[in-house]
Amino acid sequence: MEAMKMLLVDDEERFLSTTRKLLARKGYDILTASSGIEALETLKHKTVHVVILDVKMPGLDGLDTLRAIKSNHPLVAVIMLTGHGTVESAVEGLKSGAIDFLTKPTEIDDLIAKAEEAFAMRQRLEEKIRMAQTKKFMRSPREIIKKAKTP
Amino acid sequence: MARKVQSHYSRIRKYILTSMILVPFIPFVLILGIGYFYFTTSLSNSSIASMHRIVEDHRQMIESFLMERKSDLDLVLHSHSFEELSQTEKLNRVFNDLKRKSYAFADLGVFNDSGVHVAYHGPYRLAGKVYDEAPWFKEVLNRDYYISDVFLGYRRIPHFIIAIAREENGRKWVIRATIDTFMFNNLVRKVRIGKTGEAYILNKSGIFQTDRRSGGNLMDKDPDYAQYPQFHSDIKTFINADASGKNYLYATTWLKDKQWLLVVRQEQSDAFRALKTAVYLSVIVAAVGGITIVGVAFYLTGRIVERIKQSDLEKGRLQEQLIRAGRLAELGEMAAGFAHEINNPLQIMKSEQALIEAILTDLMERGHLHHSEDLSELEESIRQIAFQIKRCSEITQAILKFGRKTKPELQELELQHSIPEIIDMVRKKADVHGITINQKVSEAAPPILADPSQLQQVLLNLFNNAIDAIIKQHGSAGGQLVIEAKPKEDKNVEIRVKDNVCGVRPENLKKIFSPFFTTKPVGEGTGLGLSICYGIINSMGGNMEVESEQGVGTTFTIHLPAGA
């Protein structure tokens, strides 16, 4: 089974480095980006399954970055990380295509659990896509014959 | 401060009172004064005028009486010769003719130029007497006619004489008639004005020519005569005090070639009695009117000032509420921003703490670290850091909740259902601690407009606060929680949550809705609960108050608008 690739986006460098170290110890390999732009850049070149995205960032903020990710990489699962202890900003994210949300300060274990969940969903989705494509291939010889019969 | 407010109200009171008394008083006094002036003037004028009239009438009557008697004699004198009248027979006839004209004639006599009483008709035997030395005789020879003052003469009856002279054949002769003043006296005495009005005649020396009703006999001297104005033409009115000090209103006129003075007088108090009544009435009206004005002014002023005080109080309370609400909103906004900023460093701390823990675990697993006291102290310290981070994050969560501006979704809510539901949520906790919950939700309470979940949050908060306080004071027996809901007259519904805990201290009562204010020990409360409640109730268009009586209990009162 494919290993989960995470991208953590936050403007706090120390949070990025500490979390990366922490997750590495728990056996996860993660990428980090300190801004929305950098995150989009990374996504272009690297395979990423789950993005954990801070809502409040200077420059391109969390919601804008989310919309850009969803239009360019619809299959990437995004989990919003909100500083507000409330649902409002998270709801906005969920409406724009985020799969889940976390509130700061969040437990590392919660983060892992939600990421795994999102990854599993994505895996299932990819499985479905694969299955659909396989069906298409299986159907095609008959169609070829059909086409051959007709003059 | 209180004294300043007091003086402020007493100033308003003084101002209103002064204007309310002065404004009606000025026209009132003016009207009364003008009315009084014109009324009394016209009254005294009419009193004086009526005396004037009487004097005038009587002068004419007396003058014409005298003139008539004189012309009667004139007629006799000129229609008969001296010889004719010297005969007693003839004189008798003539006298009887005269008597038919006027009963006043008492006798009639004829005199020759040497003053000898030639013939006489009358009750006395006067014929033959000589009068050439008598002053009247000298006078009549001189001026052809003479009217005497009143005298008593031999007869001791008041009378006066009229004598007229005629020249015949170069010799003068005289007829003289005595006029009984009885009639004359009556004529003047008949005058009556009011109670004390009277008329009388004085001669030039102030001797009474007629009786005076109020005392003053014929032929006596009027003691006040010297004070009368002397020799004026026409009618004179004046006020004079008599010997006894009584003031009289006088009207006088001269008669009979200024020989006699006709006096009409009336006691001033009598003459002006109507005036006195007018004065009394004016005084009574002024007193009653004045008292009424002052009374009404005091009453109205009292009420107005009371109203002002009340509305000021109301205004003050409203302002206080507005300020508090505004301050809370500001604080909420600030706190939310602040909490949000704190969450980022908290997140890092949490990660760091997790990393330390992970590293420690790794080290131990790899055998780099051995169990020791220091190690367990380190672990304990790390756990403590985790605990404190958690505590911080709880605070920031609460602050964010407080600062959150969610619009309440108002809907009609029946308190008869929702209050028991909310009570059920805390019933178990209450039962465990022996707290009796007494709910009185009036059936008359109309549905209110509120956000159900927010109202639930507020009420739960109040219930829990009350229960916590009860447990702290009463332990597990004797606690009482009363929840009431009833309609108010201003289309509001009132919800009261009442406990029987010793109460909140007055200085704390003021701050009870302020954020972060708590009397609970550190770590047990953020001090945000009640200010959140307050904000919620405000945003639903209601208000929230607290009262507390030391040793009795604390009551939270919520007013919420009733649904349409």
Side-chain angles (χ1 to χ4, degrees):
Chain A
M1 190 162 175
E2 197 179 3
M4 172 169 63
K5 283 266 191 239
M6 274 190 278
L7 172 63
L8 182 61
V9 189
D10 196 302
D11 57 327
E12 297 272 2
E13 289 287 353
R14 181 70 201 190
F15 174 59
L16 295 179
S17 60
T18 306
T19 310
R20 187 172 60 221
K21 283 185 222 159
L22 194 55
L23 287 174
R25 280 179 185 272
K26 304 223 176 217
Y28 297 95
D29 187 13
I30 71 161
L31 296 166
T32 58
S34 59
S35 73
I37 304 290
E38 199 186 323
L40 290 172
E41 204 56 38
T42 310
L43 282 172
K44 274 185 199 162
H45 308 294
K46 302 263 173 66
T47 308
V48 172
H49 302 119
V50 177
V51 176
I52 294 163
L53 185 58
D54 187 19
V55 171
K56 204 184 161 206
M57 285 185 297
L60 201 61
D61 80 356
L63 287 174
D64 292 335
T65 311
L66 167 68
R67 286 182 196 113
I69 293 172
K70 284 322 274 188
S71 64
N72 297 335
H73 316 276
L75 284 184
V76 173
V78 182
I79 296 172
M80 303 302 289
L81 184 57
T82 166
H84 288 281
T86 57
V87 241
E88 280 81 18
S89 54
V91 166
E92 200 56 38
L94 291 174
K95 279 183 186 164
S96 304
I99 205 163
D100 208 341
F101 71 92
L102 285 162
T103 52
K104 279 186 181 178
T106 185
E107 296 282 349
I108 197 71
D109 293 334
D110 288 346
L111 189 145
I112 291 168
K114 293 218 167 179
E116 285 285 9
E117 200 183 314
F119 179 61
M121 273 175 75
R122 181 194 152 127
Q123 293 292 79
R124 280 202 295 281
L125 194 63
E126 279 188 350
E127 188 64 27
K128 277 179 193 163
I129 292 168
R130 251 201 314 279
M131 292 287 281
Q133 277 171 345
T134 316
K135 269 183 190 165
K136 189 180 163 191
F137 289 137
M138 280 166 67
R139 202 165 47 228
S140 41
R142 227 184 300 162
E143 279 169 7
I144 293 163
I145 296 163
K146 256 187 207 168
K147 275 180 188 167
K149 275 182 183 170
T150 47
Chain B
M1 183 65 195
R3 187 175 299 165
K4 206 173 146 196
V5 169
Q6 208 57 40
S7 84
H8 167 68
Y9 286 124
S10 73
R11 216 170 37 245
I12 290 179
R13 189 188 164 76
K14 224 183 269 172
Y15 178 74
I16 298 176
L17 206 58
T18 323
S19 20
M20 284 191 72
I21 291 175
L22 277 189
V23 170
F25 234 94
I26 291 166
F28 177 68
V29 165
L30 275 178
I31 288 169
L32 207 65
I34 292 169
Y36 173 75
F37 174 74
Y38 281 104
F39 188 60
T40 53
T41 310
S42 96
L43 263 180
S44 83
N45 281 348
S46 81
S47 293
I48 290 168
S50 83
M51 292 189 85
H52 240 266
R53 210 177 49 246
I54 288 163
V55 166
E56 180 67 39
D57 290 353
H58 283 76
R59 177 175 67 180
Q60 271 178 18
M61 276 198 291
I62 292 162
E63 293 273 29
S64 64
F65 177 82
L66 293 175
M67 284 312 293
E68 275 167 25
R69 298 298 79 79
K70 188 187 158 221
S71 50
D72 286 346
L73 290 181
D74 257 343
L75 189 67
V76 169
L77 192 66
H78 288 97
S79 53
H80 299 86
S81 67
F82 177 68
E83 279 72 30
E84 274 179 302
L85 286 184
S86 303
Q87 299 161 24
T88 313
E89 291 296 306
K90 184 70 181 169
L91 193 65
N92 286 353
R93 235 183 10 256
V94 168
F95 178 76
N96 287 335
D97 286 346
L98 279 178
K99 191 86 175 179
R100 260 201 295 282
K101 275 189 181 158
S102 169
Y103 281 105
F105 287 107
D107 65 3
L108 186 65
V110 179
F111 303 79
N112 65 13
D113 59 348
S114 14
V116 178
H117 211 154
V118 189
Y120 171 74
H121 176 87
Y124 306 103
R125 300 195 169 274
L126 296 176
K129 286 202 170 190
V130 179
Y131 287 90
D132 63 337
E133 288 302 316
W136 70 266
F137 190 73
K138 285 181 180 164
E139 183 85 7
V140 77
L141 284 185
N142 236 355
R143 290 181 42 210
D144 284 348
Y145 87 95
Y146 172 77
I147 300 173
S148 75
D149 282 344
V150 175
F151 60 93
L152 291 171
Y154 302 118
R155 288 164 271 190
R156 311 308 301 169
I157 306 172
H159 62 267
F160 65 94
I161 57 163
I162 301 179
I164 307 176
R166 182 185 167 196
E167 201 171 308
E168 198 182 358
N169 306 326
R171 299 187 63 169
K172 276 203 174 174
W173 60 284
V174 173
I175 60 170
R176 185 187 79 166
T178 303
I179 309 288
D180 188 343
T181 62
F182 177 71
M183 284 181 67
F184 186 70
N185 210 6
N186 269 1
L187 186 72
V188 178
R189 275 190 60 137
K190 253 193 328 214
V191 173
R192 265 182 190 280
I193 320 163
K195 273 186 184 164
T196 58
E198 60 192 352
Y200 53 94
I201 295 173
L202 300 171
N203 73 2
K204 247 194 304 194
S205 350
I207 310 292
F208 283 113
Q209 303 295 296
T210 61
D211 286 329
R212 184 165 72 178
R213 202 180 313 127
S214 63
N217 289 325
L218 202 68
M219 305 315 292
D220 285 351
K221 192 170 161 71
D222 182 355
D224 306 320
Y225 178 66
Q227 289 155 29
Y228 299 172
Q230 299 292 318
F231 300 112
H232 49 81
S233 53
D234 212 22
I235 298 160
K236 184 102 182 164
T237 50
F238 57 93
I239 290 168
N240 191 31
D242 71 356
S244 64
K246 263 187 203 154
N247 267 327
Y248 282 89
L249 179 63
Y250 284 90
T252 59
T253 190
W254 288 95
L255 305 168
K256 203 184 134 216
D257 291 334
K258 307 210 168 165
Q259 307 269 330
W260 289 356
L261 183 69
L262 174 62
V263 181
V264 176
R265 70 170 199 178
Q266 189 179 10
E267 270 183 33
Q268 197 182 14
S269 59
D270 186 26
F272 293 152
R273 195 206 311 278
L275 215 63
K276 224 179 200 170
T277 318
V279 172
Y280 284 147
L281 266 175
S282 300
V283 167
I284 289 170
V285 169
V288 170
I291 288 168
T292 310
I293 288 172
V294 171
V296 168
F298 266 94
Y299 173 71
L300 285 182
T301 304
R303 290 200 40 172
I304 289 170
V305 169
E306 202 46 47
R307 280 273 171 85
I308 291 174
K309 255 187 206 170
Q310 239 166 31
S311 86
D312 279 359
L313 218 70
E314 200 90 334
K315 208 168 81 185
R317 251 178 44 189
L318 214 68
Q319 210 153 26
E320 203 174 288
Q321 252 176 24
L322 271 175
I323 288 170
R324 192 191 282 167
R327 210 171 44 207
L328 281 181
E330 224 166 78
L331 256 171
E333 222 162 292
M334 203 190 81
F338 164 78
H340 187 235
E341 288 311 311
I342 293 288
N343 273 343
N344 278 320
L346 274 183
Q347 176 70 73
I348 297 170
M349 284 156 76
K350 204 160 199 168
S351 298
E352 300 294 338
Q353 184 268 339
L355 182 62
I356 293 169
E357 236 175 37
I359 291 170
L360 269 182
T361 317
D362 273 4
L363 284 176
M364 286 198 344
E365 273 172 9
R366 278 188 245 147
H368 291 308
L369 279 177
H370 304 287
H371 283 289
S372 68
E373 210 168 290
D374 283 346
L375 189 61
S376 25
E377 228 168 85
L378 191 61
E379 280 172 333
E380 173 54 31
S381 173
I382 290 164
R383 267 199 299 283
Q384 191 53 233
I385 288 172
F387 175 74
Q388 296 301 339
I389 290 170
K390 189 161 173 269
R391 193 174 143 197
C392 282
S393 90
E394 270 165 15
I395 294 170
T396 57
Q397 295 299 320
I399 293 171
L400 283 165
K401 221 187 233 175
F402 163 68
R404 174 178 59 176
K405 275 197 218 131
T406 41
K407 260 202 167 155
E409 285 172 18
L410 299 180
Q411 60 186 76
E412 286 204 358
L413 210 64
E414 283 186 2
L415 291 176
Q416 289 84 351
H417 291 124
S418 44
I419 287 184
E421 268 173 32
I422 301 167
I423 290 174
D424 282 342
M425 296 181 193
V426 294
R427 189 175 295 283
K428 204 168 170 196
K429 188 173 170 189
D431 284 348
V432 167
H433 294 95
I435 297 166
T436 27
I437 296 181
N438 195 349
Q439 49 171 308
K440 302 177 198 161
V441 182
S442 162
E443 282 301 320
I448 56 164
L449 267 186
D451 183 318
S453 66
Q454 290 190 355
L455 183 68
Q456 177 182 321
Q457 187 187 340
V458 170
L459 288 181
L460 272 182
N461 202 315
L462 292 183
F463 295 167
N464 279 321
N465 273 357
I467 290 172
D468 288 347
I470 289 170
I471 294 169
K472 205 171 143 200
Q473 194 188 352
H474 294 284
S476 55
Q480 251 182 5
L481 181 59
V482 180
I483 295 131
E484 292 173 329
K486 60 178 182 232
K488 292 284 280 183
E489 58 279 3
D490 53 354
K491 280 203 87 182
N492 277 356
V493 176
E494 184 180 84
I495 304 171
R496 291 160 70 88
V497 179
K498 199 153 80 184
D499 64 31
N500 64 339
V501 181
C502 67
V504 182
R505 285 219 293 278
E507 67 265 27
N508 289 343
L509 212 55
K510 276 187 191 165
K511 297 183 278 187
I512 201 161
F513 293 120
S514 302
F516 305 113
F517 175 76
T518 179
T519 53
K520 289 181 180 172
V522 176
E524 273 185 39
T526 55
L528 285 167
L530 281 175
S531 58
I532 291 172
C533 290
Y534 189 90
I536 289 176
I537 295 296
N538 256 338
S539 72
M540 291 198 285
N543 65 61
M544 188 164 169
E545 282 163 26
V546 61
E547 295 164 75
S548 189
E549 208 175 322
Q550 281 291 321
V552 177
T554 306
T555 307
F556 284 91
T557 309
I558 295 171
H559 289 116
L560 281 169

